[in-house]
Amino acid sequence: MGTVVLPHLNSGWHVDQAILSEEDRLVVIRFGRDHDPDCMRQDEVLYKIADKVKSFAAIYVCDIDQVPDFNVMYELYDPCTIMFFFRNKHMMVDFGTGNNNKLNWVLEDKQELIDILETVFRGARKGRGLVVSPKDYSTRHRY
Amino acid sequence: MATRRDFLSQPAPENYVAGLGRGATGFTTRSDLGPAREGPSDDQMKEMLAKRAAQLGLDGAKKDKDDKEDDGGNDDERFQDPDNEVGLFAGGVYDKDDEEADKIWDWVEERMDRRRRQREAREQAEREEYERNNPKIQQQFTDLKRALSTVTDDEWANLPEVGDLTGKNRRSRQALRQRFYAVPDSVLAGARDLGAMGTTVADDGDASSGAGGGDSADGTMTNFAQIGAARGKVLQSRLEAASQVSGGDATSGSATSIDAQGYITDLNRLQMTEGQAQVGDINRVRELLSSVVKSNPNNALGWIAAARLEELAGKIVSARKTIDQGCQRCPKSEDAWLENIRLNHDSHNAKVIARRAIEANNRSVRLWVEAMRLENLPANKKRVIRQALDHIPESEALWKEAVNLEDDENDAKLMLAKATELIPLSTDLWLALARLETPENAQKVLNKARKACPTSHEIWIAAARLQEQLGQGQKVNVLKRAVQVLAKESAMPKREEWIAEAERCEEEGALVTCEAIIRETLGWGLDEDDDRKETWMDDARASINRGRYETARAIYAYALRVFVNSKTLWTAASDLERNHGTRESLWQVLEKAVEACPKSEDLWMMLAKEKWQAGEVDGARLVLKRAFNQNPNNEDIWLAAVKLESANDNEEQARKLLEIAREQAPTDRVWMKSVVFERVLGNLETALDLNLKALQLFPATAKLWMLKGQIYDDLGKVGQSREAYAQGVKAVPKSVPLWLLYARLEENAGNTVKARSVLERARLAVPKNAELWRESVRLERRSGNMTQAKSLMARALQEVPKSGILWVEQIWHLEPRTQRKPRSLEAIKKVDSDAVLFIAVARIFWADRKLDKAQSWFEKALVLDSDNGDGWAWYYKFLTQHGTEEKKADVVTKCVLNEPRHGEVWQTVAKHPKNARKGVEEILKLVAAELDA
């Protein structure tokens, strides 16, 4: 459901325009494959919070098979990856996982996701390039 | 929002390079995940751009331009707009207009380039031309410089130095080149050991354990620190010795100079002061002194020093020998001879030496006296002294010795007569002669003496005293002439000296002379102004302090002769008589005083009081009558008369007097005294009657209102008493005692609430009054309201923070025992010094059995305020428990002297009609009994 409803970015140009178009909102892009079960689960969550965070975040989805332009640039090898941009700047988040560039696992807790988005947004507004996630995800996932 | 999202519905442009439009950069997280690159690569971009350009049909033009730009320095990057110019319009559509504009711009640029190339070629040519004409030095030597590259390292090293051929600064340069090196310790140690015989065996084991290690093994280890310390010590001891000497010799100041005498005396002193003569020191000093004596044998001091040294070393024989040599070398030195005599004191040689000494210098008084002392028999002494006088007839000291030796008065007289002939200027000899002569002859002697030394005031005083002894002191005024003569000779001593002489005369019993001296000389040298009074009073006071009452009396007498009408002087004189004179003399002085100042009621009253105290009631009456004649209608005298009569139980007389006084001197005080008089006698009705009359005349007198209230109170009419107080308070709202009486009346009647309101009103009428506050606090306390009392006290202390009585009240009644001391400390800090507070502190100490402290605090308080009767009473009470009888009696007499009139309990006791006729001592005892511990 979420995968279908969330706005899709169909080309590299669209991705760029999406990132450039937002002046004071966070741009959240989910890179992945629309048919992937992980992605579907993640999209479900994203869809559910989209309305709640619409005042400070815009959420898009992007199929990495359809738009392979960024696969090398952004190391998009995981089934599901969420990245954050603010005013054409890539925002990094210290999740404690060792990869600060993106959120590359499925986060199904809505409130946690909202918290992360809010933290990133606040940090970005203050001019930060890297923010610390409100929760440490190091032990919970693969590492 | 919607417009922004438009891109979602738009198609993407062809050949768009993803990420290029926004300058995206990639990242590398983990190398094992795959190759990562920084955004789109250059090749990629060029490829894309080429693709786009080819599609738009601009391929050829672009290529040309690129080539040209490569030629011209390829500064494309530099001029690029920082904000991503490359991709700024990349998304836009390239149409015909753009193409035309591009072509025009290309043409413009081509043309500009052509012109620039021409200009640059021209400028290049001009520059080359200029350089050919004006070549640079650098360029001229270029070929030579290039040749330098062939020079080898050796050749470089062997280049000769350029010497400084100028003569300037040569010396300083040489000095600069000169160098000094520190001599190593090993050289010093070697030098030390060079001529030395080693007497100690170096202990290898011990030495090797030291820090020196191998170096100390051969015994050459030198501890320079120890040597330095030892030198320091030596220097210090020398400095100390020097400072002692110079300290002892600071007056002569010869310690620093190389004066032989000074040096020797210093050495002597050093020997004497140190006391512990060490053998080594003595030997050294002996050498030193022997060299002094040899180098300067005519200096007696050197010989004396040498002899003293021997004496100190215990070699009395060699000491005598030394000084004998000295005497032979310096026969004219008195000191050497005296030293010789001293050293031979116990042997019979002394007389021989004395004879030799006198033969050598026969005009030395000291030697003659010394020779005389050596004789044992008086006859021999006399002989010696007469011989001496033959040689030196003008020596006063010798004459005095001679006279002292004479036992017979006549011989002495003869000697003195001779002496005075020979030495006419010696006052002492004249006076001694006069003392020995009969009075008649003494007069003659003194006259002669006066002629001989006209500047001596002692002779004049002696003459005056002689007259006094002859009983003619009053008749012949010697001192008047003395003052005249001495003034003429300008040998007049100062006033202070005269006073000292007078005091000496008094001490020796010559009172008339003393008086005469003061009379004649006191006014001498003082300006004729009013400062004299103060000066004389000061003189008299100083004499009294020295215990010379006659002198003081004489000074007052003289001063009073000059300032007849001075009340202060009369008072001071009468004080002197009262304290140190007889009653008759006091009366005399006071009689004179009232004659001189008849308008001074104080003096009259004093006289009357003295008479009365002496028991002469009639005399006192007489005095008062005279006072009336002089000062009619003076209320003080009226009241004194009344007091006299009432004290002597002449009630009728007193009443009559009061009546007359009321008519003649109608003051509020007279009226009040009348009321009090009647009240004391118990005639309450009469008193009330008088009081009412008085109040009609003087409604603003607080005391009359108080009396009225009290009389009603005595009569038991509480209601009327209250009315009286209420009226009084209205009439005189500022009278604190009236308010207090009113409040107490209410309280005694059991109306605590009423009393409280009265006090409130009182505090309104008289703000910041400590007594009213205290009464309020006490009212609460007495009615058992401790909390209320405490809060009131806090307010009181806020309003009147510097009041001793409030603090005392708090300390004594509102604080627990343990808190009393700290609280009193705080109070003393706040209030500084307050007699009441001191008494409280003393009582605290008393309660703690710290009797010494308590006593000292009591005395402090009484010194601070001797008018406080409560303080005296407390002290008396304290002494009855812990003091001696003498101390108690002392306090009582002091109290009676001070006549205290204030104090809370004192006033109530003293003013009570029952105690109206009691003395201070009785009241003191009553108050002490009244005080609650």
Side-chain angles (χ1 to χ4, degrees):
Chain A
M1 166 76 170
T3 316
V4 184
V5 182
L6 284 171
H8 275 69
L9 301 170
N10 298 321
S11 71
W13 181 79
H14 283 103
V15 173
D16 288 354
Q17 289 304 311
I19 291 170
L20 286 170
S21 66
E22 289 297 341
E23 276 293 309
D24 11 86
R25 285 203 298 175
L26 199 63
V27 179
V28 182
I29 303 174
R30 190 277 289 156
F31 292 101
R33 295 175 185 86
D34 290 351
H35 51 82
D36 192 284
D38 282 351
C39 279
M40 286 163 102
R41 278 194 293 149
Q42 184 65 70
D43 286 353
E44 199 63 33
V45 177
L46 285 172
Y47 164 67
K48 278 180 182 160
I49 66 161
D51 196 47
K52 286 181 182 146
V53 299
K54 71 177 180 201
S55 59
F56 66 90
I59 301 176
Y60 300 97
V61 295
C62 178
D63 195 316
I64 54 172
D65 288 339
Q66 195 185 347
V67 186
D69 299 337
F70 300 102
N71 288 2
V72 176
M73 197 196 286
Y74 289 146
E75 297 177 344
L76 301 171
Y77 306 119
D78 301 296
C80 177
T81 303
I82 296 175
M83 290 184 70
F84 311 96
F85 299 90
F86 186 77
R87 292 184 191 165
N88 194 17
K89 191 162 85 171
H90 169 215
M91 292 298 302
M92 294 199 280
V93 189
D94 182 1
F95 293 110
T97 58
N99 190 349
N100 294 347
N101 293 317
K102 53 199 163 189
L103 197 159
N104 51 0
W105 71 91
V106 180
L107 184 59
E108 283 192 293
D109 189 311
K110 284 183 286 184
Q111 190 54 49
E112 281 181 21
L113 194 57
I114 292 172
D115 288 348
I116 289 170
L117 292 186
E118 192 180 338
T119 310
V120 175
F121 176 69
R122 286 183 191 280
R125 284 290 297 268
K126 287 178 195 159
R128 305 262 155 75
L130 171 72
V131 296
V132 181
S133 155
K135 190 167 172 247
D136 188 8
Y137 295 95
S138 59
T139 52
R140 207 180 136 194
H141 296 281
R142 48 199 113 172
Y143 303 117
Chain B
M1 205 61 143
T3 50
R4 272 205 212 137
R5 285 239 184 107
D6 278 350
F7 66 91
L8 282 176
S9 52
Q10 281 175 9
E14 284 300 311
N15 296 321
Y16 180 75
V17 183
L20 186 71
R22 58 185 176 95
T25 50
F27 46 78
T28 306
T29 312
R30 296 168 62 198
S31 51
D32 58 340
L33 279 174
R37 257 167 293 169
E38 295 270 312
S41 68
D42 286 349
D43 296 342
Q44 237 177 341
M45 269 205 267
K46 259 188 197 151
E47 195 184 341
M48 291 294 184
L49 286 171
K51 229 191 251 174
R52 262 182 81 189
Q55 204 179 25
L56 290 172
L58 286 166
D59 197 14
K62 276 258 167 167
K63 268 274 185 297
D64 279 354
K65 205 180 160 195
D66 279 353
D67 288 347
K68 272 178 210 157
E69 274 175 358
D70 281 346
D71 289 351
N74 197 9
D75 46 6
D76 187 29
E77 292 293 319
R78 276 190 289 152
F79 301 131
Q80 205 175 43
D81 190 79
D83 290 341
N84 288 327
E85 199 185 33
V86 175
L88 192 57
F89 295 107
V93 181
Y94 195 80
D95 54 14
K96 289 288 179 198
D97 287 345
D98 290 340
E99 195 180 336
E100 195 186 344
D102 276 352
K103 271 182 184 160
I104 290 167
W105 280 114
D106 284 343
W107 180 79
V108 168
E109 265 179 28
E110 186 112 7
R111 172 151 184 154
M112 293 296 281
D113 275 351
R114 203 165 51 235
R115 287 182 60 182
R116 195 189 72 219
R117 268 197 297 277
Q118 283 172 0
R119 196 186 68 231
E120 279 177 352
R122 197 186 65 235
E123 281 175 354
Q124 179 80 19
E126 278 175 3
R127 205 183 304 127
E128 279 171 8
E129 178 69 28
Y130 176 78
E131 279 176 4
R132 213 177 13 257
N133 294 339
N134 311 320
K136 277 191 211 159
I137 293 176
Q138 196 186 8
Q139 284 165 344
Q140 283 175 349
F141 289 104
T142 338
D143 47 347
L144 292 175
K145 259 175 133 178
R146 204 168 293 130
L148 279 179
S149 62
T150 59
V151 179
T152 65
D153 285 351
D154 283 344
E155 281 172 322
W156 275 119
N158 291 328
L159 280 179
E161 281 289 326
V162 183
D164 188 359
L165 299 174
T166 57
K168 257 197 298 184
N169 299 330
R170 196 168 51 188
R171 183 159 303 162
S172 64
R173 238 180 294 117
Q174 271 172 358
L176 204 70
R177 222 169 283 136
Q178 205 172 9
R179 286 183 133 181
F180 299 97
Y181 297 94
V183 182
D185 289 358
S186 60
V187 176
L188 286 178
R192 183 199 60 173
D193 291 338
L194 202 63
M197 298 261 284
T199 55
T200 56
V201 181
D203 188 351
D204 276 4
D206 190 38
S208 60
S209 67
D215 197 31
S216 61
D218 53 2
T220 54
M221 165 75 168
T222 318
N223 194 338
F224 285 101
Q226 275 181 4
I227 293 175
R231 284 184 56 181
K233 246 179 222 168
V234 171
L235 184 67
Q236 193 187 354
S237 67
R238 277 193 199 164
L239 283 175
E240 271 167 13
S243 72
Q244 269 180 2
V245 167
S246 62
D249 204 17
T251 45
S252 73
S254 59
T256 48
S257 63
I258 318 169
D259 171 30
Q261 290 186 7
Y263 185 56
I264 286 155
T265 49
D266 284 351
L267 277 175
N268 278 340
R269 199 158 302 164
L270 191 61
Q271 295 295 318
M272 302 312 277
T273 50
E274 296 223 302
Q276 36 169 8
Q278 284 157 5
V279 181
D281 285 355
I282 286 180
N283 285 337
R284 226 182 48 223
V285 177
R286 186 179 287 146
E287 268 176 43
L288 221 132
L289 286 175
S290 71
S291 76
V292 166
V293 162
K294 263 177 215 158
S295 64
N296 192 3
N298 290 327
N299 185 356
L301 285 172
W303 289 107
I304 294 171
R308 286 236 172 112
L309 175 71
E310 297 300 338
E311 188 195 4
L312 197 72
K315 299 179 177 174
I316 196 78
V317 181
S318 67
R320 282 178 190 156
K321 223 178 269 173
T322 312
I323 199 66
D324 214 36
Q325 280 179 352
C327 287
Q328 278 171 8
R329 290 302 196 114
C330 339
K332 288 287 170 200
S333 165
E334 273 181 18
D335 290 332
W337 284 113
L338 283 174
E339 186 70 18
N340 199 349
I341 294 169
R342 189 180 69 78
L343 283 173
N344 290 297
H345 196 68
D346 41 0
S347 71
H348 55 273
N349 280 339
K351 284 181 196 167
V352 182
I353 292 164
R355 187 168 350 106
R356 273 166 53 205
I358 287 167
E359 272 166 22
N361 28 6
N362 52 18
R363 291 189 60 78
S364 163
V365 178
R366 280 159 75 200
L367 283 174
W368 277 113
V369 172
E370 198 60 36
M372 184 267 287
R373 288 220 182 102
L374 285 174
E375 298 294 343
N376 292 326
L377 296 173
N380 290 347
K381 282 192 181 185
K382 273 186 213 164
R383 221 183 53 227
V384 172
I385 209 78
R386 281 183 192 157
Q387 270 184 354
L389 283 174
D390 284 343
H391 283 102
I392 329 166
E394 65 275 21
S395 163
E396 196 182 332
L398 279 176
W399 277 111
K400 275 184 193 161
E401 292 283 350
V403 173
N404 279 345
L405 284 174
E406 294 298 338
D407 298 327
D408 189 5
E409 217 171 89
N410 288 325
D411 288 351
K413 260 188 245 171
L414 277 178
M415 294 288 284
L416 277 172
K418 187 71 186 161
T420 48
E421 264 175 43
L422 286 165
I423 321 168
L425 283 176
S426 166
T427 320
D428 288 346
L429 289 175
W430 280 113
L431 291 179
L433 180 57
R435 227 171 280 138
L436 288 174
E437 287 289 354
T438 56
E440 293 79 30
N441 286 338
Q443 224 163 340
K444 277 179 208 156
V445 167
L446 283 175
N447 279 337
K448 263 199 260 174
R450 230 155 47 199
K451 267 166 213 149
C453 9
T455 57
S456 164
H457 64 277
E458 286 98 337
I459 292 172
W460 283 105
I461 292 171
R465 289 180 60 181
L466 185 68
Q467 293 292 342
E468 190 185 344
Q469 277 166 15
L470 291 176
Q472 296 174 335
Q474 311 290 354
K475 278 191 248 163
V476 188
N477 201 341
V478 180
L479 280 163
K480 197 167 196 169
R481 270 185 61 208
V483 170
Q484 285 165 1
V485 171
L486 286 171
K488 207 165 72 190
E489 298 286 336
S490 65
M492 184 75 175
K494 271 190 275 178
R495 199 170 48 84
E496 287 80 10
E497 287 168 11
W498 276 119
I499 290 173
E501 289 290 343
E503 282 174 5
R504 200 174 306 138
C505 288
E506 185 191 343
E507 198 182 351
E508 287 161 10
L511 299 182
V512 178
T513 316
C514 160
E515 203 187 318
I517 289 173
I518 294 295
R519 196 174 55 227
E520 295 304 329
T521 61
L522 200 62
W524 185 262
L526 285 178
D527 295 333
E528 297 270 328
D529 56 15
D530 284 344
D531 279 354
R532 283 187 301 176
K533 195 155 98 182
E534 261 72 63
T535 322
W536 288 336
M537 299 256 296
D538 284 346
D539 289 341
R541 241 171 270 138
S543 292
I544 290 170
N545 287 341
R546 285 191 292 266
R548 302 278 169 258
Y549 305 121
E550 283 300 325
T551 315
R553 201 168 284 147
I555 291 173
Y556 277 137
Y558 183 79
L560 281 173
R561 228 167 288 142
V562 177
F563 300 103
V564 183
N565 294 321
S566 165
K567 257 186 253 176
T568 49
L569 267 174
W570 280 114
T571 320
S574 58
D575 273 348
L576 172 68
E577 294 300 338
R578 186 181 303 133
N579 292 330
H580 307 288
T582 60
R583 182 169 287 153
E584 281 72 31
S585 66
L586 174 58
W587 285 0
Q588 228 167 7
V589 167
L590 280 173
E591 285 285 352
K592 278 188 205 157
V594 294
E595 268 169 39
C597 320
K599 293 287 169 199
S600 163
E601 67 227 30
D602 286 347
L603 289 170
W604 281 111
M605 308 276 263
M606 226 186 276
L607 182 57
K609 197 174 162 197
E610 293 300 335
K611 291 260 182 189
W612 179 21
Q613 278 182 353
E616 291 193 22
V617 181
D618 287 337
R621 274 193 202 122
L622 209 65
V623 168
L624 284 176
K625 197 178 267 177
R626 276 162 60 203
F628 275 134
N629 289 339
Q630 292 291 343
N631 311 311
N633 298 340
N634 186 306
E635 59 168 353
D636 283 334
I637 295 170
W638 275 114
L639 294 177
V642 169
K643 200 175 168 193
L644 179 71
E645 295 303 343
S646 69
N648 287 296
D649 296 332
N650 283 336
E651 287 166 16
E652 280 309 313
Q653 192 77 23
R655 195 167 286 147
K656 221 177 271 171
L657 271 172
L658 274 173
E659 211 164 304
I660 301 166
R662 281 204 299 273
E663 274 167 23
Q664 299 202 343
T667 62
D668 51 347
R669 205 160 142 236
V670 171
W671 278 97
M672 202 173 63
K673 287 279 176 193
S674 312
V675 175
V676 171
F677 176 72
E678 293 298 344
R679 188 181 166 217
V680 167
L681 287 178
N683 302 332
L684 291 177
E685 294 299 335
T686 328
L688 195 59
D689 212 30
L690 277 173
N691 196 337
L692 291 178
K693 275 185 205 161
L695 274 176
Q696 278 171 353
L697 287 170
F698 309 100
T701 310
K703 282 193 183 172
L704 282 173
W705 288 107
M706 280 182 237
L707 273 174
K708 187 179 176 188
Q710 275 167 337
I711 292 168
Y712 274 126
D713 212 12
D714 291 344
L715 287 171
K717 295 176 179 174
V718 179
Q720 269 144 324
S721 171
R722 180 177 299 146
E723 202 176 318
Y725 285 137
Q727 281 174 353
V729 159
K730 255 177 223 153
V732 199
K734 291 284 173 198
S735 164
V736 176
L738 193 52
W739 281 108
L740 289 178
L741 278 173
Y742 191 9
R744 269 179 210 153
L745 174 77
E746 294 295 352
E747 196 191 347
N748 288 339
N751 301 332
T752 314
V753 185
K754 194 83 196 299
R756 205 174 283 151
S757 85
V758 166
L759 283 171
E760 291 270 340
R761 272 162 58 207
R763 288 207 304 268
L764 271 180
V766 192
K768 302 210 180 227
N769 186 292
E771 283 177 55
L772 285 174
W773 277 107
R774 182 177 60 174
E775 190 58 29
S776 302
V777 172
R778 278 188 182 167
L779 176 67
E780 297 303 338
R781 185 161 57 80
R782 280 194 290 254
S783 59
N785 251 335
M786 280 316 266
T787 47
Q788 183 66 19
K790 274 180 188 168
S791 78
L792 258 179
M793 177 55 81
R795 271 170 59 204
L797 280 176
Q798 231 165 15
E799 200 152 315
V800 199
K802 294 223 168 228
S803 160
I805 56 172
L806 279 177
W807 278 106
V808 169
E809 179 70 20
Q810 188 183 14
I811 291 165
W812 211 246
H813 297 293
L814 298 180
E815 293 289 339
R817 252 185 70 102
T818 47
Q819 285 296 306
R820 278 178 191 169
K821 245 193 221 173
R823 191 65 61 191
S824 61
L825 194 72
E826 189 188 339
I828 287 170
K829 265 186 204 156
K830 278 253 173 66
V831 185
D832 241 16
S833 55
D834 185 292
V836 180
L837 185 58
F838 281 11
I839 293 285
V841 173
R843 280 168 60 200
I844 289 173
F845 281 123
W846 182 9
D848 290 352
R849 312 271 315 162
K850 289 180 178 158
L851 302 178
D852 289 350
K853 273 191 179 175
Q855 187 166 352
S856 80
W857 278 95
F858 272 124
E859 292 195 340
K860 254 190 229 177
L862 292 178
V863 166
L864 203 65
D865 182 9
S866 56
D867 196 34
N868 184 0
D870 284 6
W872 287 106
W874 276 113
Y875 195 24
Y876 178 78
K877 196 172 181 188
F878 171 75
L879 288 174
T880 46
Q881 284 186 17
H882 303 290
T884 57
E885 278 302 316
E886 301 94 67
K887 187 77 193 163
K888 213 164 90 179
D890 186 38
V891 167
V892 169
T893 49
K894 266 193 203 159
C895 178
V896 170
L897 263 182
N898 277 311
E899 287 188 25
R901 255 174 298 187
H902 294 99
E904 203 190 347
V905 184
W906 185 277
Q907 268 170 321
T908 52
V909 171
K911 286 207 176 156
H912 200 274
K914 271 194 300 188
N915 306 331
R917 314 246 305 253
K918 287 183 177 150
V920 177
E921 190 177 340
E922 277 173 285
I923 291 176
L924 177 68
K925 279 169 190 171
L926 275 174
V927 173
E930 187 87 0
L931 290 170
D932 54 335

